[in-house]
Amino acid sequence: MTKIKLGDNTIETIGTLPKVGDTAPDFDLTAQDLSSKKLSDYKGSRVVMNIFPSIDTNVCATSVRKFNEKATGLKNTKVLCISKDLPFAQQRFVNDEEINNVTNLSDFRDGNFGKNYGVEMSSGALRGLHSRAVVVLDEEGKVIYNQQVPAIGEEPDYLSALKTLL
């Protein structure tokens, strides 16, 4: 369990992020076309997972925009933006914002991603949604960076995450 902040309130996640050096847990997430995506679909590429509660909030939307912008020059890197939003909401955002360098994936079906990655909030007003976190993987699926953002209203540390890929 990890303690984070939502406004002035302390809330908890169901676990902790995978540690640097760990093999990342597999996942089964839903793409915008409703197909299933697994971690193995990205094997051989470096992966940045931008994890957040909802695309329809300001800080979450900002993180998608910033990772979209910063991912442009990264070689052999896929940026996955992961939330429990329905794929239709994710697609609307991508279309409205002209986002083309990230892949939005949804954990709406079974929610196992949130549990397996330790980001599901287990208390507070957003209980059941994902906390804000970043996990970076190498080409073999090993964790090379992680950040559990200490407060839901804060943006992730983009530079530290992306520096691991230079």
Side-chain angles (χ1 to χ4, degrees):
M1 158 185 66
T2 301
K3 292 182 188 280
I4 57 175
K5 291 289 221 176
L6 176 60
D8 292 332
N9 299 313
T10 299
I11 58 176
E12 299 172 344
T13 65
I14 203 162
T16 58
L17 293 174
K19 294 178 179 73
V20 171
D22 287 353
T23 298
D26 200 8
F27 56 71
D28 187 1
L29 297 170
T30 305
Q32 291 171 0
D33 64 1
L34 301 179
S35 65
S36 178
K37 292 292 183 184
K38 298 185 180 312
L39 181 57
S40 58
D41 294 331
Y42 303 97
K43 188 165 183 160
S45 294
R46 303 177 308 174
V47 175
V48 176
M49 291 187 227
N50 175 31
I51 307 162
F52 52 87
S54 176
I55 196 81
D56 286 322
T57 63
N58 187 42
V59 177
C60 299
T62 297
S63 72
V64 173
R65 285 185 204 105
K66 285 193 178 176
F67 273 117
N68 179 67
E69 172 191 327
K70 294 176 184 310
T72 303
L74 297 176
K75 301 286 187 222
N76 194 35
T77 302
K78 306 292 183 195
V79 178
L80 310 180
C81 294
I82 303 168
S83 68
K84 284 197 172 182
D85 291 299
L86 291 176
F88 314 113
Q90 294 174 337
Q91 183 66 50
R92 174 187 37 80
F93 179 82
V94 165
N95 290 345
D96 290 350
E97 298 282 331
E98 299 180 12
I99 303 290
N100 53 20
N101 295 320
V102 301
T103 300
N104 283 294
L105 297 173
S106 176
D107 188 25
F108 86 99
R109 285 202 169 124
D110 64 17
N112 284 330
F113 176 88
K115 291 174 181 61
N116 293 339
Y117 279 78
V119 295
E120 182 176 311
M121 290 181 275
S122 59
S123 65
L126 299 179
R127 181 178 63 248
L129 295 180
H130 297 156
S131 61
R132 185 173 322 288
V134 177
V135 178
V136 180
L137 310 177
D138 68 11
E139 295 87 347
E140 298 302 315
K142 295 263 190 217
V143 177
I144 58 173
Y145 175 86
N146 68 21
Q147 179 198 17
Q148 173 62 70
V149 180
I152 293 297
E154 292 179 15
E155 291 181 53
D157 184 350
Y158 307 104
L159 295 179
S160 291
L162 297 175
K163 193 184 300 183
T164 63
L165 299 170
L166 297 177

